[in-house]
Amino acid sequence: YKMRSLVRRKNGSHWFDDFKFYRPIFFTGVLNDRLGYGEGDFVIDDIVKNNRHFMNELHRRVYKKSKTKIPRLIVIERGKGRFHTHMILETPEHISNENYLHLIQHSWLKSRDGISVSIEDVTDIKGIKNYLSKEVSLHSVTGVDVKNSYNYL
């Protein structure tokens, strides 16, 4: 049993309560079969890598040359036997929801292992955070993607 950086926090609520969102979007990224149903140590590492590539692509499209980062909380989960990624993404001030949704979808599909997306407006941020915390535990390889989550603070 090898503990990963994704789950080092003893209490997932610390991570989640510190994140503040003003115009949040709830995004689920579905991964291809290689990662979705993958086994072994490489799988989580490759999902983290795919999340990084997705965020880099989204940043390029949203901010062009600015160093501004999009606040986001990213969780890797294995639901119904398949790995996938959930994200709460802040909508940047200068962009419409409609345009942002298009950029998110395009960026995920451009990532190496992303095959489909589900995007919802967030009306109950506390409920979404509770939903995301359901698989965060010390004995799981899934949980908060610490390397790719970013908060204002």
Side-chain angles (χ1 to χ4, degrees), residues 109-132:
L109 296 177
K110 196 168 178 189
S111 72
R112 178 177 171 196
D113 299 298
I115 59 168
S116 72
V117 302
S118 168
I119 302 173
E120 300 168 38
D121 285 328
V122 176
T123 52
D124 175 15
I125 191 71
K126 193 172 171 59
I128 293 287
K129 287 178 180 178
N130 286 339
Y131 175 77
L132 290 180

Side-chain angles (χ1 to χ4, degrees), residues 92-150:
E93 294 175 358
H94 70 282
I95 202 162
S96 71
N97 264 29
E98 188 180 343
N99 193 17
Y100 193 45
L101 300 183
H102 173 76
L103 294 176
I104 290 168
Q105 180 170 5
H106 182 86
S107 298
W108 182 256
L109 296 177
K110 196 168 178 189
S111 72
R112 178 177 171 196
D113 299 298
I115 59 168
S116 72
V117 302
S118 168
I119 302 173
E120 300 168 38
D121 285 328
V122 176
T123 52
D124 175 15
I125 191 71
K126 193 172 171 59
I128 293 287
K129 287 178 180 178
N130 286 339
Y131 175 77
L132 290 180
S133 68
K134 70 184 182 287
E135 282 198 33
V136 177
S137 77
L138 288 174
H139 304 291
S140 170
V141 296
T142 60
V144 176
D145 180 348
V146 181
K147 291 180 178 166
N148 291 304
S149 293
Y150 172 77

Side-chain angles (χ1 to χ4, degrees), residues 17-71:
D17 291 344
D18 283 354
F19 280 77
K20 303 288 183 242
F21 295 95
Y22 303 97
R23 291 176 60 204
I25 296 291
F26 183 61
F27 165 77
T28 301
V30 179
L31 298 154
N32 60 18
D33 288 350
R34 181 181 79 86
L35 292 185
Y37 295 109
E39 299 289 337
D41 283 343
F42 80 91
V43 175
I44 295 294
D45 294 338
D46 281 3
I47 293 171
V48 168
K49 220 178 279 179
N50 195 72
N51 289 344
R52 185 180 68 238
H53 292 160
F54 161 71
M55 288 309 306
N56 287 342
E57 180 65 24
L58 186 59
H59 274 284
R60 269 192 296 280
R61 295 181 170 283
V62 168
Y63 287 114
K64 307 289 185 242
K65 297 181 185 199
S66 170
K67 298 231 184 276
T68 305
K69 288 185 171 187
I70 298 168

